[in-house]
Amino acid sequence: MKANVVIVEDDPLVAAHVGRGVEAHVGLSLVATTGTLAGARALIDRNVDLFILDLGLPDGSGIELIEEIRARAGLEPKILVLSVLGDQDTVLAAVLAGADGYLLKDIDSLDIGQQAADALTGGAPLSPSIAAYVLRHLRRQREDAKPDDADPPLSPREIELLQLLARGYSNRQAAAELEISPHTIGDHVKSIYRKLRVSNRGEAMVRAFRSGLLRL
Amino acid sequence: MKANVVIVEDDPLVAAHVGRGVEAHVGLSLVATTGTLAGARALIDRNVDLFILDLGLPDGSGIELIEEIRARAGLEPKILVLSVLGDQDTVLAAVLAGADGYLLKDIDSLDIGQQAADALTGGAPLSPSIAAYVLRHLRRQREDAKPDDADPPLSPREIELLQLLARGYSNRQAAAELEISPHTIGDHVKSIYRKLRVSNRGEAMVRAFRSGLLRL
DNA sequence: GCGACCACCCCGTAAACGGGGGATTGAAAT
DNA sequence: ATTTCAATCCCCCGTTTACGGGGTGGTCGC
């Protein structure tokens, strides 16, 4: 059983080249080629195993198409992006929308058939420069969420108070809850602000979340 | 000026094979080969541009080495992992530790030189099956952060303001930033509080996080 | 026309903020 | 053994800000 492949590409030369690559590969069957978003939409519900698509189409962005394909329940065709657009925003948008692979047109597409086969078997062919964006993005998220429990840790009392503040308690209310003086609450709050390096309640909450002191 | 490459690989056959790949590439200069973590550590502070390393070493995991290299300030050598270990945990650990690329040993390493060159120029060579893990992980984070409120949606202006408040802006500062009257800021803030059903800044931030209006 | 969103204004009360002062305890460092 | 330090607690001060209520007017889309 050969995999059904659809090519979405407005440049006839590129489309033809990719088409040859697909047909040269055993296991792949080129069932259609279209140059527009509209044409591709008409094919979504057909029995397609793999879309190889360009992002810059005359009637819109291929990213829309990715979203539409992924919105279909039940269908899980693979999507391999083949684009000249290598900027970080475009790449991330495509990947987050659900692309299974992202290849730049500047690579030697001699083995486009192999790349397509990789995609079909659960792999994610990425051009190295594309992969660099993705990895960078991954690591950035990691570092954003980490860097500050090492600053100055809050004392147990301060954490206790912080959780009350997160629930909207005023200093006075927190004082009643903890059965201490409102002045002392004020002191603890000052202390929290100093340790978190903020100067008001809102920012303190934000930092508390980002530090993992408060949970979602 | 050729790039200095160090190979960290305990299997002599693989090391030799990779070494040939490196030497066959103009622009790459193989300066050392070692089969142990200890041997690699001695090379960290040398002038190395690229490490090609195996993860399964006799005296520990290559991931430790990645962390040690990345902990060095000033040095920014590229790190290309070449491993038989293709499980998701290992891959993510290596990538998050700071690997610039990850290749499985089952690929045809004929073009190891090319992959190395890609890594040196800022690319991230990933085997397709490896890339699939990375993309899946990326998207999962996205979906975890998504499921949201539908309570009362904030207007664009209110969201804009909310983000300023999250950064600790006072009403007056936000007014300056958005170039509108402080009174109007107050009005928008009231509106936000009403929609989020809170009555102060701190609680508003908390609800914004829990609603997905603000991201970690 | 009605309801949103956005913008602006005034008011008063209440709260937060940012300094200062001091006390006690217990652990850690010298 | 003395000191130093963090944590907890208490208090006062003044200034700034937030909060919650009121009202006005404009634009836009349905």
Side-chain angles (χ1 to χ4, degrees), chain A residues 92 94-101 115 118 122-139 141-145 165-170 199-203 205-207 209-211 214-216, chain B residues 92 94-101 115 118-119 122-139 141-142 144-145 165-170 199-203 205-207 209-211 214-216:
Chain A
L92 286 177
V95 165
L96 291 176
D100 294 296
Q115 310 274 27
D118 282 339
L126 299 180
S127 293
S129 58
I130 297 305
Y133 286 147
V134 175
L135 294 193
R136 197 175 309 146
H137 189 253
L138 239 193
R139 280 193 288 260
Q141 292 185 340
R142 162 60 59 98
E143 280 153 25
D144 283 352
L165 298 186
R167 283 152 61 187
Y169 280 52
S170 70
S199 57
N200 61 55
R201 253 175 175 64
E203 208 179 358
M205 292 302 115
V206 172
R207 290 206 78 85
F209 268 106
R210 303 211 213 266
S211 303
L214 290 175
R215 311 233 172 278
L216 204 60
Chain B
L92 287 177
V95 165
L96 291 176
D100 294 296
Q115 311 273 27
D118 282 339
L126 299 180
S127 293
S129 57
I130 298 305
Y133 286 147
V134 175
L135 295 192
R136 196 175 310 148
H137 189 254
L138 240 191
R139 281 194 287 261
Q141 291 187 340
R142 161 62 57 99
D144 285 351
L165 298 185
R167 282 153 59 188
Y169 281 51
S170 69
S199 56
N200 61 56
R201 253 173 173 67
E203 211 179 354
M205 291 304 114
V206 172
R207 290 208 79 86
F209 268 106
R210 301 210 213 268
S211 302
L214 288 175
R215 305 243 172 269
L216 208 59

Side-chain angles (χ1 to χ4, degrees), chain A residues 164 169-182 185:
Chain A
L164 293 181
Y169 280 52
S170 70
N171 288 359
R172 182 180 310 277
Q173 289 172 324
E177 179 70 25
L178 298 181
E179 296 180 309
I180 57 178
S181 161
I185 295 293

Side-chain angles (χ1 to χ4, degrees), chain A residues 9 14 24 31 55 59 77 84 87 89 93 95 103 108-109 127 129-131 133 140 170 189 195 201 208 212:
Chain A
E9 167 62 66
V14 175
V31 296
L55 291 186
D59 54 343
V84 289
D87 66 287
D89 288 347
V95 165
L103 299 174
D108 303 292
S109 307
S127 293
S129 58
I130 297 305
Y133 286 147
R140 196 172 48 69
S170 70
V189 171
K195 288 179 179 175
R201 253 175 175 64

Side-chain angles (χ1 to χ4, degrees), chain A residues 67-186:
Chain A
E67 289 167 351
E68 289 166 28
I69 293 172
R70 290 300 179 224
R72 290 291 195 291
L75 301 175
E76 283 298 333
K78 299 295 180 182
I79 300 173
L80 184 52
V81 172
L82 185 65
S83 176
V84 289
L85 303 172
D87 66 287
Q88 191 156 1
D89 288 347
T90 302
V91 171
L92 286 177
V95 165
L96 291 176
D100 294 296
Y102 198 117
L103 299 174
L104 289 179
K105 285 186 182 173
D106 61 6
I107 72 163
D108 303 292
S109 307
L110 295 175
D111 54 352
I112 184 73
Q114 181 56 48
Q115 310 274 27
D118 282 339
L120 281 166
T121 56
L126 299 180
S127 293
S129 58
I130 297 305
Y133 286 147
V134 175
L135 294 193
R136 197 175 309 146
H137 189 253
L138 239 193
R139 280 193 288 260
R140 196 172 48 69
Q141 292 185 340
R142 162 60 59 98
E143 280 153 25
D144 283 352
K146 199 191 278 186
D148 50 353
D149 44 355
D151 292 270
L154 297 190
S155 71
R157 197 56 155 177
E158 287 161 353
I159 291 177
E160 197 179 0
L161 175 53
L162 191 69
Q163 286 162 348
L164 293 181
L165 298 186
R167 283 152 61 187
Y169 280 52
S170 70
N171 288 359
R172 182 180 310 277
Q173 289 172 324
E177 179 70 25
L178 298 181
E179 296 180 309
I180 57 178
S181 161
H183 298 294
T184 303
I185 295 293

Side-chain angles (χ1 to χ4, degrees), chain B residues 6-8 31-34 38-48 51:
Chain B
V6 166
I7 294 173
V8 185
V31 296
T33 297
T34 178
R41 286 197 179 96
L43 295 163
I44 291 183
D45 289 316
R46 304 298 176 81
N47 182 29
V48 178
F51 285 91

Side-chain angles (χ1 to χ4, degrees), chain B residues 96-174:
Chain B
L96 291 176
D100 294 296
Y102 198 116
L103 300 175
L104 288 179
K105 284 186 181 171
D106 62 6
I107 71 162
D108 303 293
S109 307
L110 295 176
D111 54 352
I112 185 73
Q114 180 57 47
Q115 311 273 27
D118 282 339
L120 282 166
T121 57
L126 299 180
S127 293
S129 57
I130 298 305
Y133 286 147
V134 175
L135 295 192
R136 196 175 310 148
H137 189 254
L138 240 191
R139 281 194 287 261
R140 196 173 51 70
Q141 291 187 340
R142 161 62 57 99
E143 279 152 26
D144 285 351
K146 203 189 278 184
D148 47 10
D149 46 19
D151 293 289
L154 297 190
S155 73
R157 197 56 156 176
E158 287 161 353
I159 291 176
E160 198 178 1
L161 175 55
L162 189 70
Q163 286 163 348
L164 293 181
L165 298 185
R167 282 153 59 188
Y169 281 51
S170 69
N171 288 0
R172 181 180 311 278
Q173 289 172 324

